[in-house]
């Protein structure tokens, strides 16, 4: 564990490692069952409302796929847009964004864009392997 | 030969394919919840940054509740047991969950902790999550409610910096309000930020030093 110290310093977002581990476990299980020699590409769907940092996920993925059937495979990530539904005014659609929240980009909120009351997330919490491309 | 398998949109959530990456944790969380429900226990997941006052707050709430109902605490901590020791002084069951290098508790660890204590007679379990406002958001544990503790000493922009945590919360405690003036932090603005993200959420300003808000939090938790 040579990086132990720097993990602490650099990664408040280590759940990317948990997610990367989960990807690798699922794909390798599939690869063993189906006698796949090499995995070329894994395509993920990640919801906009998920606190997942893509670059860190890629870094973890590359690190833990080494010396497996997934080594050097590409990790494609597609974002699923958030949608919300409002139980008060029956609004369904894209969420209201907090434009002036000092962040790098607007933040999706659970405030109904129509009536301002509390909306429920409908789409945007996905974290799914969509496809894998492989060689037999 | 290159082959592509593609799940059709209605298959994407198919658990048989085990393609949903957080499903394994979510399944264990449902099992924990079923076990808790069967014993009539409410578990409360307490989240917040390091130093936001999670342990002290839990300690104060236990003092108020332990004579009325059975309370236990699970303490998530990367390495130390000092928080666990502090809670144990109150003579309630407490389990330390050392995650070592992990930055969040997951449903599997909670499942193990649930098997460590006698659940009979308990009504409330506080799960003190790791001091981290980002990771625990995506890992449900089986709790009935999530409480996020944010203290004025973390500055004016804490809510804006960690929106995901608040989107999934049921109750927000703004802690250390006795220091708000010294910190030049507006409690009203913090509360406003929380309501911008999630309009219906209850926000309780509190101070473990002078007791502000503690009875209200205790009442709120017992009613969940």
């Amino acid at each position: 564990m040579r990086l132990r110290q720097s993990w602490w310093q650099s990664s408040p977002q280590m759940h990317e490692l948990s997610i990367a581990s989960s990807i690798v476990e699922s794909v390798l299980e599939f690869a063993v069952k189906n006698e796949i020699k090499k995995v070329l590409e894994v395509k993920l769907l990640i919801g906009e409302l998920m606190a997942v940092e893509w670059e860190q996920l890629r870094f973890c993925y590359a690190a833990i796929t080494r010396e497996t059937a997934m080594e050097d495979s590409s990790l494609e990530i597609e974002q699923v847009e958030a949608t919300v539904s409002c139980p008060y005014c029956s609004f369904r659609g894209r969420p209201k964004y907090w434009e002036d929240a000092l962040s790098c980009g607007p933040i999706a909120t659970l405030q109904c864009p129509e009536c301002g009351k509390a909306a429920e997330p409908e789409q945007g919490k996905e974290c799914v392997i969509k496809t894998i491309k492989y060689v037999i | 030969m290159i082959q592509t398998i593609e799940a059709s949109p209605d298959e994407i959530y198919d658990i048989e394919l085990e393609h949903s990456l957080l499903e394994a944790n979510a399944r264990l969380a449902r099992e924990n919840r079923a076990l808790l429900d069967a014993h009539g226990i409410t578990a409360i997941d307490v989240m917040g940054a390091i130093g936001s006052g999670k342990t002290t707050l839990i300690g104060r709430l236990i003092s108020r509740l332990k004579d009325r109902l059975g309370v236990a605490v699970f303490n998530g901590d990367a390495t130390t047991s000092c928080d666990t020791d502090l809670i144990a002084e109150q003579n309630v069951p407490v389990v330390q969950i050392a995650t070592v290098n992990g930055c969040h508790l997951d449903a599997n660890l909670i499942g193990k902790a649930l098997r460590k204590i006698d659940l009979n007679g308990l009504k409330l379990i506080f799960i003190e999550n790791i001091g981290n406002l980002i990771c625990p958001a995506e890992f449900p544990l089986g709790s009935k409610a999530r409480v996020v503790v944010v203290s004025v000493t973390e500055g004016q922009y804490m809510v804006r910096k960690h929106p995901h945590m608040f989107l999934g919360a049921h109750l927000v405690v703004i802690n250390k309000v006795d220091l708000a003036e010294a910190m030049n932090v507006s409690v009203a603005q913090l509360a406003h930020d929380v309501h911008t993200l999630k309009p219906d959420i209850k926000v309780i300003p509190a101070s473990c030093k002078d007791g502000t808000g503690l009875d209200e939090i205790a009442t709120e938790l017992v009613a969940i």
Side-chain angles (χ1 to χ4, degrees), chain A residues 12 14-15 18 22 49 51 100 102 110-111 118 126-129 136, chain B residues 3 12-13 19 21-22 101 103-104 132 135 138 157 160 164 196-197 200:
Chain A
M14 244 186 22
H15 61 303
S18 303
S22 182
L49 298 174
D100 59 350
L102 306 174
L110 290 179
Q111 201 181 116
E126 296 76 6
C127 191
V128 183
I129 300 173
I136 290 183
Chain B
Q3 294 187 31
I12 284 170
Y13 294 100
H19 282 173
L21 294 165
L22 299 173
N101 278 335
C103 56
H104 54 263
N132 180 335
C135 299
E138 312 309 346
Y157 303 114
R160 295 161 182 242
H164 288 95
T196 302
L197 287 167
D200 61 343

PDB file of all heavy atoms in Angstrom, chain A residues 12 14-15 18 22 49 51 100 102 110-111 118 126-129 136, chain B residues 3 12-13 19 21-22 101 103-104 132 135 138 157 160 164 196-197 200:
ATOM      1  N   PRO A  12     -10.939  12.610  -0.853  1.00  0.00           N
ATOM      2  CA  PRO A  12     -12.162  12.567  -0.084  1.00  0.00           C
ATOM      3  C   PRO A  12     -13.240  11.793  -0.837  1.00  0.00           C
ATOM      4  O   PRO A  12     -14.295  11.535  -0.326  1.00  0.00           O
ATOM      5  CB  PRO A  12     -12.545  14.043   0.057  1.00  0.00           C
ATOM      6  CG  PRO A  12     -11.940  14.708  -1.119  1.00  0.00           C
ATOM      7  CD  PRO A  12     -10.705  13.919  -1.437  1.00  0.00           C
ATOM      8  N   MET A  14     -13.323   8.624  -2.236  1.00  0.00           N
ATOM      9  CA  MET A  14     -12.887   7.273  -2.529  1.00  0.00           C
ATOM     10  C   MET A  14     -14.013   6.333  -2.922  1.00  0.00           C
ATOM     11  O   MET A  14     -13.749   5.182  -3.225  1.00  0.00           O
ATOM     12  CB  MET A  14     -12.084   6.700  -1.383  1.00  0.00           C
ATOM     13  CG  MET A  14     -10.694   6.444  -1.858  1.00  0.00           C
ATOM     14  SD  MET A  14      -9.546   5.631  -0.815  1.00  0.00           S
ATOM     15  CE  MET A  14     -10.412   4.726   0.356  1.00  0.00           C
ATOM     16  N   HIS A  15     -15.254   6.809  -2.900  1.00  0.00           N
ATOM     17  CA  HIS A  15     -16.299   5.887  -3.342  1.00  0.00           C
ATOM     18  C   HIS A  15     -16.152   5.555  -4.812  1.00  0.00           C
ATOM     19  O   HIS A  15     -16.688   4.579  -5.274  1.00  0.00           O
ATOM     20  CB  HIS A  15     -17.694   6.419  -3.029  1.00  0.00           C
ATOM     21  CG  HIS A  15     -18.021   7.713  -3.696  1.00  0.00           C
ATOM     22  ND1 HIS A  15     -17.263   8.848  -3.535  1.00  0.00           N
ATOM     23  CD2 HIS A  15     -19.017   8.050  -4.532  1.00  0.00           C
ATOM     24  CE1 HIS A  15     -17.798   9.833  -4.240  1.00  0.00           C
ATOM     25  NE2 HIS A  15     -18.869   9.382  -4.853  1.00  0.00           N
ATOM     26  N   SER A  18     -14.740   2.230  -4.807  1.00  0.00           N
ATOM     27  CA  SER A  18     -15.759   1.208  -4.558  1.00  0.00           C
ATOM     28  C   SER A  18     -16.537   0.901  -5.822  1.00  0.00           C
ATOM     29  O   SER A  18     -16.818  -0.255  -6.132  1.00  0.00           O
ATOM     30  CB  SER A  18     -16.753   1.682  -3.483  1.00  0.00           C
ATOM     31  OG  SER A  18     -16.098   2.014  -2.307  1.00  0.00           O
ATOM     32  N   SER A  22     -16.617  -2.517  -8.083  1.00  0.00           N
ATOM     33  CA  SER A  22     -17.867  -3.177  -8.408  1.00  0.00           C
ATOM     34  C   SER A  22     -17.974  -3.457  -9.914  1.00  0.00           C
ATOM     35  O   SER A  22     -18.431  -4.521 -10.328  1.00  0.00           O
ATOM     36  CB  SER A  22     -19.020  -2.286  -7.922  1.00  0.00           C
ATOM     37  OG  SER A  22     -20.242  -2.877  -8.164  1.00  0.00           O
ATOM     38  N   LEU A  49     -27.456  12.973 -10.920  1.00  0.00           N
ATOM     39  CA  LEU A  49     -27.580  13.248  -9.482  1.00  0.00           C
ATOM     40  C   LEU A  49     -26.616  12.426  -8.637  1.00  0.00           C
ATOM     41  O   LEU A  49     -26.601  12.539  -7.414  1.00  0.00           O
ATOM     42  CB  LEU A  49     -29.022  12.975  -9.024  1.00  0.00           C
ATOM     43  CG  LEU A  49     -30.109  13.841  -9.664  1.00  0.00           C
ATOM     44  CD1 LEU A  49     -31.488  13.372  -9.234  1.00  0.00           C
ATOM     45  CD2 LEU A  49     -29.912  15.309  -9.275  1.00  0.00           C
ATOM     46  N   ALA A  51     -23.087  11.539  -7.079  1.00  0.00           N
ATOM     47  CA  ALA A  51     -21.846  12.251  -6.784  1.00  0.00           C
ATOM     48  C   ALA A  51     -20.658  11.377  -7.194  1.00  0.00           C
ATOM     49  O   ALA A  51     -19.931  10.853  -6.369  1.00  0.00           O
ATOM     50  CB  ALA A  51     -21.785  12.587  -5.296  1.00  0.00           C
ATOM     51  N   ASP A 100     -26.317  30.152  -9.004  1.00  0.00           N
ATOM     52  CA  ASP A 100     -25.321  31.005  -8.333  1.00  0.00           C
ATOM     53  C   ASP A 100     -24.743  30.341  -7.091  1.00  0.00           C
ATOM     54  O   ASP A 100     -24.465  30.965  -6.089  1.00  0.00           O
ATOM     55  CB  ASP A 100     -25.943  32.358  -7.961  1.00  0.00           C
ATOM     56  CG  ASP A 100     -27.140  32.198  -7.047  1.00  0.00           C
ATOM     57  OD1 ASP A 100     -27.586  31.054  -6.875  1.00  0.00           O
ATOM     58  OD2 ASP A 100     -27.616  33.209  -6.511  1.00  0.00           O
ATOM     59  N   LEU A 102     -21.893  29.097  -6.557  1.00  0.00           N
ATOM     60  CA  LEU A 102     -20.432  29.211  -6.456  1.00  0.00           C
ATOM     61  C   LEU A 102     -19.692  27.982  -6.948  1.00  0.00           C
ATOM     62  O   LEU A 102     -18.504  27.852  -6.772  1.00  0.00           O
ATOM     63  CB  LEU A 102     -19.985  29.456  -4.994  1.00  0.00           C
ATOM     64  CG  LEU A 102     -20.582  30.620  -4.231  1.00  0.00           C
ATOM     65  CD1 LEU A 102     -20.095  30.551  -2.789  1.00  0.00           C
ATOM     66  CD2 LEU A 102     -20.163  31.935  -4.845  1.00  0.00           C
ATOM     67  N   LEU A 110     -33.833  19.822  -5.734  1.00  0.00           N
ATOM     68  CA  LEU A 110     -35.125  19.132  -5.668  1.00  0.00           C
ATOM     69  C   LEU A 110     -36.248  20.144  -5.402  1.00  0.00           C
ATOM     70  O   LEU A 110     -37.223  19.861  -4.716  1.00  0.00           O
ATOM     71  CB  LEU A 110     -35.102  18.034  -4.605  1.00  0.00           C
ATOM     72  CG  LEU A 110     -34.223  16.825  -4.950  1.00  0.00           C
ATOM     73  CD1 LEU A 110     -34.237  15.803  -3.824  1.00  0.00           C
ATOM     74  CD2 LEU A 110     -34.684  16.166  -6.251  1.00  0.00           C
ATOM     75  N   GLN A 111     -36.056  21.353  -5.936  1.00  0.00           N
ATOM     76  CA  GLN A 111     -37.092  22.371  -5.844  1.00  0.00           C
ATOM     77  C   GLN A 111     -37.857  22.348  -7.175  1.00  0.00           C
ATOM     78  O   GLN A 111     -37.241  22.440  -8.236  1.00  0.00           O
ATOM     79  CB  GLN A 111     -36.408  23.727  -5.663  1.00  0.00           C
ATOM     80  CG  GLN A 111     -37.283  24.782  -5.066  1.00  0.00           C
ATOM     81  CD  GLN A 111     -36.543  26.117  -4.950  1.00  0.00           C
ATOM     82  OE1 GLN A 111     -36.927  27.077  -5.576  1.00  0.00           O
ATOM     83  NE2 GLN A 111     -35.460  26.153  -4.178  1.00  0.00           N
ATOM     84  N   ALA A 118     -41.261  20.846  -2.856  1.00  0.00           N
ATOM     85  CA  ALA A 118     -40.301  19.745  -2.929  1.00  0.00           C
ATOM     86  C   ALA A 118     -40.683  18.736  -4.004  1.00  0.00           C
ATOM     87  O   ALA A 118     -41.757  18.150  -3.967  1.00  0.00           O
ATOM     88  CB  ALA A 118     -40.209  19.049  -1.583  1.00  0.00           C
ATOM     89  N   GLU A 126     -28.799   6.731 -11.684  1.00  0.00           N
ATOM     90  CA  GLU A 126     -28.328   5.485 -12.268  1.00  0.00           C
ATOM     91  C   GLU A 126     -26.831   5.290 -12.043  1.00  0.00           C
ATOM     92  O   GLU A 126     -26.073   6.245 -11.947  1.00  0.00           O
ATOM     93  CB  GLU A 126     -28.595   5.466 -13.787  1.00  0.00           C
ATOM     94  CG  GLU A 126     -30.055   5.491 -14.176  1.00  0.00           C
ATOM     95  CD  GLU A 126     -30.694   6.862 -14.031  1.00  0.00           C
ATOM     96  OE1 GLU A 126     -29.970   7.843 -13.735  1.00  0.00           O
ATOM     97  OE2 GLU A 126     -31.910   6.961 -14.211  1.00  0.00           O
ATOM     98  N   CYS A 127     -26.439   4.058 -11.965  1.00  0.00           N
ATOM     99  CA  CYS A 127     -25.016   3.697 -11.926  1.00  0.00           C
ATOM    100  C   CYS A 127     -24.957   2.268 -12.445  1.00  0.00           C
ATOM    101  O   CYS A 127     -25.019   1.308 -11.694  1.00  0.00           O
ATOM    102  CB  CYS A 127     -24.486   3.806 -10.501  1.00  0.00           C
ATOM    103  SG  CYS A 127     -22.699   3.692 -10.417  1.00  0.00           S
ATOM    104  N   VAL A 128     -24.907   2.154 -13.764  1.00  0.00           N
ATOM    105  CA  VAL A 128     -25.197   0.887 -14.431  1.00  0.00           C
ATOM    106  C   VAL A 128     -24.161   0.587 -15.506  1.00  0.00           C
ATOM    107  O   VAL A 128     -23.699   1.498 -16.198  1.00  0.00           O
ATOM    108  CB  VAL A 128     -26.588   0.983 -15.118  1.00  0.00           C
ATOM    109  CG1 VAL A 128     -26.966  -0.324 -15.772  1.00  0.00           C
ATOM    110  CG2 VAL A 128     -27.660   1.418 -14.140  1.00  0.00           C
ATOM    111  N   ILE A 129     -23.806  -0.686 -15.655  1.00  0.00           N
ATOM    112  CA  ILE A 129     -23.008  -1.096 -16.823  1.00  0.00           C
ATOM    113  C   ILE A 129     -23.980  -1.289 -17.972  1.00  0.00           C
ATOM    114  O   ILE A 129     -24.884  -2.112 -17.885  1.00  0.00           O
ATOM    115  CB  ILE A 129     -22.259  -2.419 -16.584  1.00  0.00           C
ATOM    116  CG1 ILE A 129     -21.293  -2.270 -15.397  1.00  0.00           C
ATOM    117  CG2 ILE A 129     -21.500  -2.833 -17.843  1.00  0.00           C
ATOM    118  CD1 ILE A 129     -20.640  -3.567 -14.988  1.00  0.00           C
ATOM    119  N   ILE A 136     -13.520 -13.058 -27.921  1.00  0.00           N
ATOM    120  CA  ILE A 136     -13.525 -14.440 -27.424  1.00  0.00           C
ATOM    121  C   ILE A 136     -12.222 -15.124 -27.798  1.00  0.00           C
ATOM    122  O   ILE A 136     -11.746 -14.984 -28.912  1.00  0.00           O
ATOM    123  CB  ILE A 136     -14.719 -15.220 -28.012  1.00  0.00           C
ATOM    124  CG1 ILE A 136     -16.007 -14.666 -27.392  1.00  0.00           C
ATOM    125  CG2 ILE A 136     -14.589 -16.694 -27.758  1.00  0.00           C
ATOM    126  CD1 ILE A 136     -17.257 -15.390 -27.815  1.00  0.00           C
TER     127      ILE A 136
ATOM    128  N   GLN B   3     -17.461  -9.053 -30.394  1.00  0.00           N
ATOM    129  CA  GLN B   3     -18.910  -9.122 -30.178  1.00  0.00           C
ATOM    130  C   GLN B   3     -19.321  -8.035 -29.200  1.00  0.00           C
ATOM    131  O   GLN B   3     -18.601  -7.738 -28.281  1.00  0.00           O
ATOM    132  CB  GLN B   3     -19.300 -10.469 -29.559  1.00  0.00           C
ATOM    133  CG  GLN B   3     -19.056 -11.631 -30.479  1.00  0.00           C
ATOM    134  CD  GLN B   3     -19.614 -12.904 -29.879  1.00  0.00           C
ATOM    135  OE1 GLN B   3     -20.591 -12.882 -29.163  1.00  0.00           O
ATOM    136  NE2 GLN B   3     -18.967 -14.010 -30.180  1.00  0.00           N
ATOM    137  N   ILE B  12     -31.763  -2.879 -18.324  1.00  0.00           N
ATOM    138  CA  ILE B  12     -30.627  -2.239 -17.669  1.00  0.00           C
ATOM    139  C   ILE B  12     -30.641  -2.428 -16.153  1.00  0.00           C
ATOM    140  O   ILE B  12     -29.624  -2.603 -15.529  1.00  0.00           O
ATOM    141  CB  ILE B  12     -30.556  -0.751 -18.076  1.00  0.00           C
ATOM    142  CG1 ILE B  12     -29.996  -0.664 -19.491  1.00  0.00           C
ATOM    143  CG2 ILE B  12     -29.639   0.027 -17.143  1.00  0.00           C
ATOM    144  CD1 ILE B  12     -30.098   0.691 -20.111  1.00  0.00           C
ATOM    145  N   TYR B  13     -31.807  -2.472 -15.588  1.00  0.00           N
ATOM    146  CA  TYR B  13     -31.871  -2.620 -14.131  1.00  0.00           C
ATOM    147  C   TYR B  13     -32.022  -4.073 -13.694  1.00  0.00           C
ATOM    148  O   TYR B  13     -32.264  -4.345 -12.544  1.00  0.00           O
ATOM    149  CB  TYR B  13     -33.032  -1.792 -13.575  1.00  0.00           C
ATOM    150  CG  TYR B  13     -32.819  -0.318 -13.747  1.00  0.00           C
ATOM    151  CD1 TYR B  13     -33.435   0.358 -14.784  1.00  0.00           C
ATOM    152  CD2 TYR B  13     -31.960   0.385 -12.905  1.00  0.00           C
ATOM    153  CE1 TYR B  13     -33.220   1.704 -14.984  1.00  0.00           C
ATOM    154  CE2 TYR B  13     -31.739   1.734 -13.095  1.00  0.00           C
ATOM    155  CZ  TYR B  13     -32.367   2.389 -14.135  1.00  0.00           C
ATOM    156  OH  TYR B  13     -32.149   3.712 -14.327  1.00  0.00           O
ATOM    157  N   HIS B  19     -25.862  -5.814 -13.317  1.00  0.00           N
ATOM    158  CA  HIS B  19     -25.211  -4.678 -13.970  1.00  0.00           C
ATOM    159  C   HIS B  19     -25.368  -3.383 -13.190  1.00  0.00           C
ATOM    160  O   HIS B  19     -24.682  -2.429 -13.436  1.00  0.00           O
ATOM    161  CB  HIS B  19     -25.734  -4.509 -15.407  1.00  0.00           C
ATOM    162  CG  HIS B  19     -25.124  -5.500 -16.339  1.00  0.00           C
ATOM    163  ND1 HIS B  19     -25.532  -5.648 -17.629  1.00  0.00           N
ATOM    164  CD2 HIS B  19     -24.116  -6.384 -16.153  1.00  0.00           C
ATOM    165  CE1 HIS B  19     -24.803  -6.598 -18.206  1.00  0.00           C
ATOM    166  NE2 HIS B  19     -23.939  -7.057 -17.330  1.00  0.00           N
ATOM    167  N   LEU B  21     -24.505  -1.221 -10.444  1.00  0.00           N
ATOM    168  CA  LEU B  21     -23.284  -1.305  -9.650  1.00  0.00           C
ATOM    169  C   LEU B  21     -23.506  -1.091  -8.168  1.00  0.00           C
ATOM    170  O   LEU B  21     -22.715  -1.501  -7.343  1.00  0.00           O
ATOM    171  CB  LEU B  21     -22.263  -0.299 -10.182  1.00  0.00           C
ATOM    172  CG  LEU B  21     -21.804  -0.657 -11.597  1.00  0.00           C
ATOM    173  CD1 LEU B  21     -21.109   0.517 -12.232  1.00  0.00           C
ATOM    174  CD2 LEU B  21     -20.906  -1.872 -11.557  1.00  0.00           C
ATOM    175  N   LEU B  22     -24.560  -0.421  -7.815  1.00  0.00           N
ATOM    176  CA  LEU B  22     -24.800  -0.174  -6.394  1.00  0.00           C
ATOM    177  C   LEU B  22     -25.855  -1.129  -5.841  1.00  0.00           C
ATOM    178  O   LEU B  22     -26.243  -1.040  -4.691  1.00  0.00           O
ATOM    179  CB  LEU B  22     -25.223   1.286  -6.181  1.00  0.00           C
ATOM    180  CG  LEU B  22     -24.173   2.300  -6.630  1.00  0.00           C
ATOM    181  CD1 LEU B  22     -24.715   3.714  -6.564  1.00  0.00           C
ATOM    182  CD2 LEU B  22     -22.909   2.193  -5.780  1.00  0.00           C
ATOM    183  N   ASN B 101      -9.106   2.069   5.743  1.00  0.00           N
ATOM    184  CA  ASN B 101      -8.886   2.999   4.630  1.00  0.00           C
ATOM    185  C   ASN B 101     -10.177   3.427   3.939  1.00  0.00           C
ATOM    186  O   ASN B 101     -10.149   4.175   2.978  1.00  0.00           O
ATOM    187  CB  ASN B 101      -7.948   2.374   3.599  1.00  0.00           C
ATOM    188  CG  ASN B 101      -6.501   2.537   4.004  1.00  0.00           C
ATOM    189  OD1 ASN B 101      -6.174   3.457   4.757  1.00  0.00           O
ATOM    190  ND2 ASN B 101      -5.656   1.654   3.557  1.00  0.00           N
ATOM    191  N   CYS B 103     -13.769   5.269   3.268  1.00  0.00           N
ATOM    192  CA  CYS B 103     -14.232   6.608   3.615  1.00  0.00           C
ATOM    193  C   CYS B 103     -15.736   6.650   3.802  1.00  0.00           C
ATOM    194  O   CYS B 103     -16.322   7.708   3.915  1.00  0.00           O
ATOM    195  CB  CYS B 103     -13.829   7.589   2.540  1.00  0.00           C
ATOM    196  SG  CYS B 103     -14.438   7.084   0.938  1.00  0.00           S
ATOM    197  N   HIS B 104     -16.394   5.500   3.788  1.00  0.00           N
ATOM    198  CA  HIS B 104     -17.822   5.487   4.045  1.00  0.00           C
ATOM    199  C   HIS B 104     -18.194   4.155   4.672  1.00  0.00           C
ATOM    200  O   HIS B 104     -17.506   3.158   4.495  1.00  0.00           O
ATOM    201  CB  HIS B 104     -18.617   5.671   2.750  1.00  0.00           C
ATOM    202  CG  HIS B 104     -18.254   4.674   1.679  1.00  0.00           C
ATOM    203  ND1 HIS B 104     -17.373   4.955   0.674  1.00  0.00           N
ATOM    204  CD2 HIS B 104     -18.633   3.386   1.501  1.00  0.00           C
ATOM    205  CE1 HIS B 104     -17.234   3.882  -0.092  1.00  0.00           C
ATOM    206  NE2 HIS B 104     -17.978   2.915   0.393  1.00  0.00           N
ATOM    207  N   ASN B 132     -17.237  12.692   6.438  1.00  0.00           N
ATOM    208  CA  ASN B 132     -17.014  12.852   5.008  1.00  0.00           C
ATOM    209  C   ASN B 132     -18.352  13.237   4.419  1.00  0.00           C
ATOM    210  O   ASN B 132     -19.358  12.600   4.666  1.00  0.00           O
ATOM    211  CB  ASN B 132     -16.556  11.493   4.472  1.00  0.00           C
ATOM    212  CG  ASN B 132     -16.275  11.487   2.975  1.00  0.00           C
ATOM    213  OD1 ASN B 132     -16.808  12.292   2.233  1.00  0.00           O
ATOM    214  ND2 ASN B 132     -15.434  10.587   2.561  1.00  0.00           N
ATOM    215  N   CYS B 135     -18.702  10.847   0.045  1.00  0.00           N
ATOM    216  CA  CYS B 135     -18.880   9.422  -0.232  1.00  0.00           C
ATOM    217  C   CYS B 135     -20.159   8.791   0.310  1.00  0.00           C
ATOM    218  O   CYS B 135     -20.796   8.026  -0.383  1.00  0.00           O
ATOM    219  CB  CYS B 135     -17.695   8.637   0.293  1.00  0.00           C
ATOM    220  SG  CYS B 135     -16.170   9.114  -0.482  1.00  0.00           S
ATOM    221  N   GLU B 138     -23.973   7.919  -1.546  1.00  0.00           N
ATOM    222  CA  GLU B 138     -24.435   6.898  -2.485  1.00  0.00           C
ATOM    223  C   GLU B 138     -24.521   5.505  -1.889  1.00  0.00           C
ATOM    224  O   GLU B 138     -24.759   4.546  -2.584  1.00  0.00           O
ATOM    225  CB  GLU B 138     -23.529   6.875  -3.724  1.00  0.00           C
ATOM    226  CG  GLU B 138     -23.237   8.214  -4.359  1.00  0.00           C
ATOM    227  CD  GLU B 138     -24.496   9.039  -4.648  1.00  0.00           C
ATOM    228  OE1 GLU B 138     -25.614   8.499  -4.602  1.00  0.00           O
ATOM    229  OE2 GLU B 138     -24.342  10.251  -4.901  1.00  0.00           O
ATOM    230  N   TYR B 157     -20.242  28.371   3.218  1.00  0.00           N
ATOM    231  CA  TYR B 157     -20.601  27.749   1.938  1.00  0.00           C
ATOM    232  C   TYR B 157     -20.672  26.223   1.974  1.00  0.00           C
ATOM    233  O   TYR B 157     -20.650  25.571   0.943  1.00  0.00           O
ATOM    234  CB  TYR B 157     -19.624  28.214   0.848  1.00  0.00           C
ATOM    235  CG  TYR B 157     -19.605  29.714   0.732  1.00  0.00           C
ATOM    236  CD1 TYR B 157     -18.475  30.450   1.051  1.00  0.00           C
ATOM    237  CD2 TYR B 157     -20.758  30.399   0.352  1.00  0.00           C
ATOM    238  CE1 TYR B 157     -18.481  31.829   0.978  1.00  0.00           C
ATOM    239  CE2 TYR B 157     -20.768  31.779   0.277  1.00  0.00           C
ATOM    240  CZ  TYR B 157     -19.623  32.490   0.596  1.00  0.00           C
ATOM    241  OH  TYR B 157     -19.636  33.860   0.534  1.00  0.00           O
ATOM    242  N   ARG B 160     -23.514  24.606  -0.117  1.00  0.00           N
ATOM    243  CA  ARG B 160     -23.297  24.737  -1.565  1.00  0.00           C
ATOM    244  C   ARG B 160     -22.199  23.808  -2.053  1.00  0.00           C
ATOM    245  O   ARG B 160     -22.202  23.370  -3.199  1.00  0.00           O
ATOM    246  CB  ARG B 160     -22.895  26.177  -1.899  1.00  0.00           C
ATOM    247  CG  ARG B 160     -24.007  27.164  -1.615  1.00  0.00           C
ATOM    248  CD  ARG B 160     -23.476  28.575  -1.503  1.00  0.00           C
ATOM    249  NE  ARG B 160     -24.552  29.494  -1.195  1.00  0.00           N
ATOM    250  CZ  ARG B 160     -24.916  30.495  -1.988  1.00  0.00           C
ATOM    251  NH1 ARG B 160     -24.266  30.732  -3.098  1.00  0.00           N
ATOM    252  NH2 ARG B 160     -25.919  31.269  -1.645  1.00  0.00           N
ATOM    253  N   HIS B 164     -25.047  17.101  -2.816  1.00  0.00           N
ATOM    254  CA  HIS B 164     -25.578  15.732  -2.882  1.00  0.00           C
ATOM    255  C   HIS B 164     -25.997  15.208  -1.517  1.00  0.00           C
ATOM    256  O   HIS B 164     -26.973  14.489  -1.387  1.00  0.00           O
ATOM    257  CB  HIS B 164     -24.550  14.789  -3.499  1.00  0.00           C
ATOM    258  CG  HIS B 164     -24.384  15.001  -4.962  1.00  0.00           C
ATOM    259  ND1 HIS B 164     -23.407  15.798  -5.479  1.00  0.00           N
ATOM    260  CD2 HIS B 164     -25.107  14.559  -6.007  1.00  0.00           C
ATOM    261  CE1 HIS B 164     -23.520  15.822  -6.797  1.00  0.00           C
ATOM    262  NE2 HIS B 164     -24.537  15.084  -7.144  1.00  0.00           N
ATOM    263  N   THR B 196     -33.040  25.767  -0.553  1.00  0.00           N
ATOM    264  CA  THR B 196     -32.924  25.951  -2.003  1.00  0.00           C
ATOM    265  C   THR B 196     -32.755  24.593  -2.677  1.00  0.00           C
ATOM    266  O   THR B 196     -33.323  24.327  -3.730  1.00  0.00           O
ATOM    267  CB  THR B 196     -31.715  26.849  -2.343  1.00  0.00           C
ATOM    268  OG1 THR B 196     -31.895  28.100  -1.675  1.00  0.00           O
ATOM    269  CG2 THR B 196     -31.576  27.077  -3.838  1.00  0.00           C
ATOM    270  N   LEU B 197     -31.986  23.720  -2.019  1.00  0.00           N
ATOM    271  CA  LEU B 197     -31.772  22.387  -2.575  1.00  0.00           C
ATOM    272  C   LEU B 197     -32.980  21.498  -2.379  1.00  0.00           C
ATOM    273  O   LEU B 197     -33.338  20.703  -3.226  1.00  0.00           O
ATOM    274  CB  LEU B 197     -30.553  21.724  -1.901  1.00  0.00           C
ATOM    275  CG  LEU B 197     -29.190  22.260  -2.284  1.00  0.00           C
ATOM    276  CD1 LEU B 197     -28.139  21.747  -1.316  1.00  0.00           C
ATOM    277  CD2 LEU B 197     -28.832  21.838  -3.704  1.00  0.00           C
ATOM    278  N   ASP B 200     -38.606  21.006   1.429  1.00  0.00           N
ATOM    279  CA  ASP B 200     -39.440  20.489   2.519  1.00  0.00           C
ATOM    280  C   ASP B 200     -38.650  19.969   3.712  1.00  0.00           C
ATOM    281  O   ASP B 200     -39.219  19.436   4.654  1.00  0.00           O
ATOM    282  CB  ASP B 200     -40.362  19.377   1.990  1.00  0.00           C
ATOM    283  CG  ASP B 200     -39.562  18.197   1.432  1.00  0.00           C
ATOM    284  OD1 ASP B 200     -38.347  18.373   1.163  1.00  0.00           O
ATOM    285  OD2 ASP B 200     -40.140  17.114   1.264  1.00  0.00           O
TER     286      ASP B 200
END
